[in-house]
Amino acid sequence: MKTVTVLGSTGSVGTQTLDLLAAQRDRFAVQALVGGRNVALLAQQARALGARLAVVADPTLHAALVEALAGSGIEVASGPSAVVDAASEAADWTMAAIGGAAGLPATLAAIKRGGAVALANKEALVCAGDVMLRAVADAGATLLPVDSEHNAIFQAMADGNRDAVESITLTASGGPFRRATLEEMARARPEAALRHPIWSMGAKISIDSATMMNKGLELIEAARLFGLASADIAVLVHPQSVIHGMVHYRDGSVLAQLGSPDMRVPIAHTLAWPQRLATTAKRLDLAALGRLEFEAPDPVRFPALRLAREALEAGGAAPCVLNAANEVAVAAFLDGRLGFLDIAAIVSDVVEAFGVGPADTLAAVLDLDARARAAAVRACAGRDRPAA
Ligand SMILES: NC(=O)c1ccc[n+]([C@@H]2O[C@H](COP(=O)([O-])OP(=O)(O)OC[C@H]3O[C@@H](n4cnc5c(N)ncnc54)[C@H](OP(=O)(O)O)[C@@H]3O)[C@@H](O)[C@H]2O)c1
């Protein structure tokens, strides 16, 4: 039996992880499930999988979780420090799927404990790259990429010939506004931006996909995970999302990983690694698909991608500030307080205001993150509300 903990079990990645665990009850024992606020789902999951511990991040929901798990024998805890404690407890495999920089303390705690950490929480690696990679090396932890693109690169690099890698390509669906004009994007409402053509995901990453900031964060994530320079990471729009990533080798060979766009495939890969797990994911039928399309991303309509690349190249504080400003701007857009195109504009202004400083300790990262958020809140308040 492999012991597993799922951080962010009530989210999109979390629930898909639990689908896989539920189908293999004889192979996995669930230690802890951690959710943010959705007590009803968390309790249902904990009962269904016989978790030892259930943790809700919002401490005001402690009593509700106790009540929902009454008579189950499942231990209950709440609050941010209980989340970190759960991540620190022994487990063979941890899914780090809390959304945003809020997941950093728990993701870092899981890494420090050692063992295998399946990383969905890309924002933690973007804002605290140096800190996390040092912790991985110190604890001898194994980071297994969950993002389908990074998981694809990880698989295509599996022959171990890392010195022969020339570059990599991350594919992008192009999101819901791939064909939209700038005028249409300026008027876009959250409902339209949330309507992703391929993937069903949490709200924040869906908006990031619409602005292509998601690909920008993935660019930074890839540089950190695979030790590559910005110039060696290309982004290619591929609307069918069947090829998830490609590794280009020095001899001209290109190894790609393909699969139906279903997050259960990369999640299962990290769960079973270095073995494989059977899934019910739809099998790829290339004849039915007919053709695969590719195009370069449009830098004019999707400036977020350029902003992320510039932040990666600037290094230091820039990726952390970029991520914090983006989280604030996306939340404001989802609340109807900001226009769609204002998201990248806010990020640009805040990153420029902060310049480049160090972000090489956890304290420095948390301080930067808080200051960048405050600056982004002020910048959002200074913009006109989008017209009705
Ligand atoms: N969805 C995808 O297909 C996908 C693909 C690749 C990578 N990712 C990455 O995976 C991560 C999760 O994405 P998602 O789409 O699954 O997001 P999501 O559906 O919004 O789920 C986020 C999860 O984090 C929990 N949470 C939020 N704040 C928390 C806090 N302060 N402490 C503890 N838990 C907290 C939420 O709990 P409640 O809902 O109970 O409040 C929920 O379980 C993100 O970093 C995203 O970029 C997602």
Side-chain angles (χ1 to χ4, degrees), residues 296-308:
D298 177 354
V300 176
R301 288 178 307 131
F302 300 101
L305 190 52
R306 171 182 52 80
L307 293 173

Side-chain angles (χ1 to χ4, degrees), residues 150-333:
H150 305 71
N151 185 267
I153 301 295
F154 184 80
Q155 294 198 44
M157 281 187 181
D159 72 352
N161 206 353
R162 289 291 297 269
D163 291 345
V165 172
E166 209 166 57
S167 65
I168 63 171
T169 298
L170 305 175
T171 57
S173 70
F177 300 144
R178 185 170 67 91
R179 292 262 175 260
T181 63
L182 266 177
E183 292 69 31
E184 288 165 339
M185 291 164 80
R187 287 195 307 270
R189 294 284 169 194
E191 311 79 77
L194 286 167
R195 220 173 290 130
H196 197 279
I198 303 281
W199 302 96
S200 164
M201 309 180 286
K204 191 262 179 185
I205 185 176
S206 296
I207 302 304
D208 285 349
S209 296
T211 60
M212 288 197 75
M213 179 59 90
N214 183 48
K215 213 48 56 178
L217 298 176
E218 288 181 8
L219 182 69
I220 301 172
E221 181 187 14
R224 306 220 196 286
L225 280 174
F226 304 113
L228 293 169
S230 165
D232 298 333
I233 310 170
V235 171
L236 182 66
V237 174
H238 164 42
Q240 291 80 19
S241 299
V242 157
I243 297 178
H244 301 295
M246 297 179 248
V247 178
H248 306 253
Y249 285 92
R250 219 171 262 161
D251 61 2
S253 298
V254 182
L255 297 195
Q257 185 263 0
L258 287 74
S260 296
D262 183 333
M263 280 307 293
R264 287 173 304 165
V265 177
I267 296 170
H269 177 262
T270 66
L271 191 52
W273 184 86
Q275 265 89 47
R276 296 267 177 182
L277 194 68
T279 76
T280 56
K282 191 170 169 219
R283 279 12 185 189
L284 201 54
D285 183 346
L286 289 174
L289 208 55
R291 61 197 205 124
L292 301 179
E293 297 163 294
F294 304 96
E295 63 198 41
D298 177 354
V300 176
R301 288 178 307 131
F302 300 101
L305 190 52
R306 171 182 52 80
L307 293 173
R309 196 178 278 284
E310 287 171 358
L312 168 62
E313 290 168 3
C320 175
V321 173
L322 172 105
N323 178 68
N326 182 57
E327 287 192 28
V328 169
V330 168
F333 170 69

Side-chain angles (χ1 to χ4, degrees), residues 7 37 42 59 76 80 95 98 120 129 247 287 299-300 303 307-308 349 362 374 376:
L7 309 171
R37 295 185 49 84
L42 179 61
V76 170
M95 167 55 79
I98 295 174
V247 178
V300 176
L307 293 173
D349 289 353
L362 183 59

